[in-house]
Amino acid sequence: MALATQPYKGARDFYPEDKRLQKYMFGIVRDTVERFGYEEYDAPILEPLELYLAKTGDEIVNEQTYVFEDRGGRKVVIRPEMTPTVSRMVAGRRQELAYPLRWYSIPNLWRYERPQRGRLREHWQLNVDIFGEHDMKAEMETIQVADAILKRFGATHDMYTVKVNSRKLMDFIMKEYLGLSTVQSQMAAKLIDRMPKMPLAEFQAEAEAIFTPSQRETGASNKLIGLLKIKQISHLPEAVREHESAKELKLLIELLKDARISNVVFDITVMRGFDYYTGIVFELFDNHPENNRSMMGGGRYDGLVGLFGVESVPTVGFGWGDVTLQNFLEGHDLLPNIRPETDVYVVLIGDIYAKAQKVIEDLREMGANVAVDISGRKADKQIQTAVKKGVRYAMFIGENEIKEELYEVRNLVTGVAERHSVSRIVSIVKDYREETS
RNA sequence: GCGGAUGUAGCUCAGUUGGUUAGAGCGCUGGAUUGUGGCUCCGGAGGCCGUGGGUUCAAGUCCCAUCAUUCGCCCCA
């Protein structure tokens, strides 16, 4: 059997047109987060298994990561997320860093599971984190960053919804208000996470099953179901509404609205899967009818840095996968047609290769990206190659051009051809590059 | 890990109740005055019909397995 040309299951090849798109997307993302003062960091793709076991130790590590033994017998994981890694880095230099710390990264991450829409085994994920700030202004800022990114892509607020909730508030509801045990709370949390995509009757049946008979008698299960239908903090029962975490959440929503992020809502079903969240959690939902899903999420996780045996550092951050971002942008038609980096494709007319070198060198020294057709084919074939590559300009070099030092340059999209000097041609292609970047 | 759908040329697909050497469009490639693309005309390459078994005189077609793709579930970084 022949060798397969397809990439590894759930992973992608980035052909030049794909890489071009990725560079465009990440370029806008980097530019935006850097405007908020975030600094880029990176780390090895491999981490010791213990790093993840310390954090959770559940199914995610055992069944959904790439784990192997290195030649020295150490258990190694291909990183499935960046949060433990960045927590490790902060813990390592906690005393010399200038807080509040604003860091970002776009690592390539791997998880072992069955691929589906918006979820591959391999993806790139923007991680934006603020370390060292207890105040809710940190949550506020990270949501502003996420919103600013979408704005830079041309998205408007009707295209997505910012959903916020609080783990602290949910803990209070589960334990104090409903009187659930820790185990019951965890079961309820997972069930609530699934609620948006299951029928109400089914949800009610499963919710009932979590409660003990005596709890059901006091109406605790009905109280839970009633709470989950609430869409505004002001509609929560007074005992819940007056809790500190509910007030904080309410203030966050007000601040965001004042900052013209009008598409923010309280959503009690937003839980986030990880146990490490300790406070406010949030998600951005795509409002597109055919892609109605969470495209990114994050929140406060104050305990992770402290796992490294140092004083804890309060942290807020989010992760945003390139696949879900791209699905969003495609769904709302926000991705332009991105041309290759090559500005000029040189078409050689006749046996002129050697004589053309000087001109080509001049073009490059002046900053133009120039590809030369070295096939020796007839001009029409050379032009077609340029068109197929998507290069904007074809430049013709023959005996006459060399003699006159004027070269025909043709815009391959409009078909307009003019004769210009080398320096004029460079300024034309640079102008075009400016226009489209 | 569980369930459904789909695998024929680079792409989109046709291929009768099993029956000669498997087809189309687009794309690719060569040519139609060797200094200029997109239209037109003529020629050409390209397929172990996903893979492996089975049934049959005969399998692209029927059966089983397997792999891949895809949609959902579980789970969610």
Side-chain angles (χ1 to χ4, degrees):
Chain A
M1 197 170 125
L3 277 172
T5 56
Q6 36 185 215
Y8 175 74
K9 183 185 180 74
R12 296 165 289 173
D13 287 327
F14 289 87
Y15 283 84
E17 63 269 28
D18 308 312
K19 195 66 187 175
R20 214 182 288 157
L21 180 60
Q22 190 193 55
K23 280 169 77 177
Y24 168 78
M25 281 173 41
F26 290 177
I28 287 186
V29 164
R30 282 202 167 85
D31 201 61
T32 309
V33 296
E34 283 172 6
R35 278 193 202 188
F36 280 76
Y38 287 74
E39 299 175 276
E40 188 167 12
Y41 66 94
D42 209 338
I45 192 167
L46 298 179
E47 290 281 4
L49 178 61
E50 297 78 56
L51 181 64
Y52 302 95
L53 293 178
K55 193 197 67 181
T56 49
D58 59 2
E59 180 188 31
I60 284 166
V61 176
N62 296 325
E63 295 173 21
Q64 301 202 328
T65 54
Y66 284 83
V67 186
F68 62 93
E69 226 172 69
D70 71 10
R71 290 172 191 274
R74 287 166 285 257
K75 293 251 174 139
V76 172
V77 173
I78 301 178
R79 63 188 176 194
E81 57 164 332
M82 201 59 170
T83 303
T85 298
V86 71
S87 300
R88 174 177 67 73
M89 290 171 69
V90 170
R93 293 199 181 172
R94 67 201 171 277
Q95 287 170 334
E96 51 198 282
L97 296 169
Y99 300 100
L101 214 58
R102 291 183 170 92
W103 279 9
Y104 83 95
S105 186
I106 310 181
N108 191 217
L109 308 175
W110 290 77
R111 57 188 160 211
Y112 192 82
E113 66 170 347
R114 194 145 170 188
Q116 53 186 289
R117 178 172 170 79
R119 253 194 125 176
L120 306 175
R121 286 182 167 179
E122 157 274 323
H123 73 150
W124 302 75
Q125 188 192 57
L126 168 68
N127 278 254
V128 168
D129 293 282
I130 299 183
F131 292 87
E133 183 49 64
H134 284 287
D135 193 87
M136 178 264 292
K137 292 189 196 80
E139 281 92 331
M140 168 81 184
E141 179 172 302
T142 51
I143 292 172
Q144 284 179 301
V145 169
D147 184 73
I149 288 170
L150 288 181
K151 191 176 178 186
R152 278 288 298 279
F153 280 107
T156 51
H157 282 156
D158 57 305
M159 294 177 187
Y160 61 99
T161 303
V162 181
K163 299 186 174 182
V164 297
N165 193 10
S166 165
R167 273 292 179 86
K168 215 178 272 178
L169 177 64
M170 295 309 285
D171 267 2
F172 172 76
I173 289 174
M174 304 278 196
K175 291 186 179 152
E176 311 285 326
Y177 184 69
L178 297 174
L180 295 179
S181 69
T182 303
V183 173
Q184 284 177 314
S185 299
Q186 282 172 356
M187 288 168 69
K190 300 216 161 170
L191 182 60
I192 291 167
D193 208 27
R194 279 160 55 211
M195 188 178 98
K197 52 177 168 180
M198 59 198 296
L200 187 61
E202 192 182 323
F203 174 79
Q204 282 175 333
E206 288 197 32
E208 294 280 345
I210 292 173
F211 292 87
T212 64
S214 64
Q215 285 170 329
R216 278 197 287 271
E217 268 173 39
T218 61
S221 58
N222 286 334
K223 267 162 99 179
L224 173 63
I225 291 163
L227 274 175
L228 296 178
K229 292 178 184 162
I230 290 172
K231 302 290 180 201
Q232 286 184 34
I233 292 171
S234 57
H235 294 169
L236 289 167
E238 189 173 349
V240 177
R241 200 195 322 146
E242 291 302 314
H243 189 259
E244 170 203 10
S245 59
K247 289 180 178 170
E248 183 186 50
L249 204 49
K250 187 160 176 276
L251 183 58
L252 172 65
I253 291 171
E254 283 166 8
L255 274 174
L256 285 167
K257 288 192 169 166
D258 288 346
R260 293 182 304 283
I261 298 177
S262 55
N263 54 334
V264 56
V265 298
F266 166 62
D267 188 329
I268 202 167
T269 68
V270 169
M271 294 295 289
R272 307 295 302 151
F274 272 137
D275 291 338
Y276 57 61
Y277 288 112
T278 56
I280 285 171
V281 289
F282 57 88
E283 291 185 345
L284 258 55
F285 263 72
D286 189 347
N287 290 344
H288 195 289
E290 282 168 24
N291 193 43
N292 203 256
R293 57 187 296 157
S294 169
M295 67 172 133
M296 63 79 79
R300 178 171 287 278
Y301 53 102
D302 287 344
L304 270 193
V305 174
L307 287 181
F308 295 88
V310 301
E311 63 275 30
S312 67
V313 174
T315 311
V316 174
F318 67 74
W320 196 340
D322 66 325
V323 182
T324 53
L325 175 59
Q326 191 175 329
N327 286 346
F328 173 86
L329 296 173
E330 282 169 351
H332 294 278
D333 203 18
L334 294 172
L335 287 175
N337 187 14
I338 299 149
R339 294 190 164 274
E341 300 296 330
T342 309
D343 299 309
V344 177
Y345 193 82
V346 168
V347 175
L348 297 177
I349 307 295
D351 184 15
I352 200 78
Y353 179 72
K355 286 185 191 167
Q357 292 303 314
K358 179 70 175 73
V359 178
I360 293 161
E361 188 188 333
D362 288 349
L363 284 165
R364 288 177 180 147
E365 278 185 2
M366 286 185 243
N369 296 341
V370 183
V372 181
D373 193 299
I374 54 174
S375 69
R377 292 172 301 175
K378 291 196 290 188
D380 60 339
K381 298 297 177 193
Q382 297 186 49
I383 293 168
Q384 277 177 29
T385 299
V387 170
K388 193 170 178 183
K389 286 178 187 292
V391 179
R392 180 78 175 198
Y393 293 100
M395 175 175 164
F396 297 86
I397 303 180
E399 292 289 352
N400 298 340
E401 283 82 359
I402 296 279
K403 203 178 299 168
E404 296 167 26
E405 295 187 349
L406 289 175
Y407 306 87
E408 181 177 328
V409 60
R410 185 187 306 185
N411 181 323
L412 292 171
V413 174
T414 63
V416 174
E418 297 165 309
R419 292 173 82 82
H420 292 296
S421 66
V422 169
S423 59
R424 178 79 187 112
I425 288 170
V426 171
S427 75
I428 287 171
V429 303
K430 280 189 175 174
D431 283 352
Y432 174 72
R433 217 195 278 168
E434 292 282 309
E435 275 171 38
T436 53
S437 65

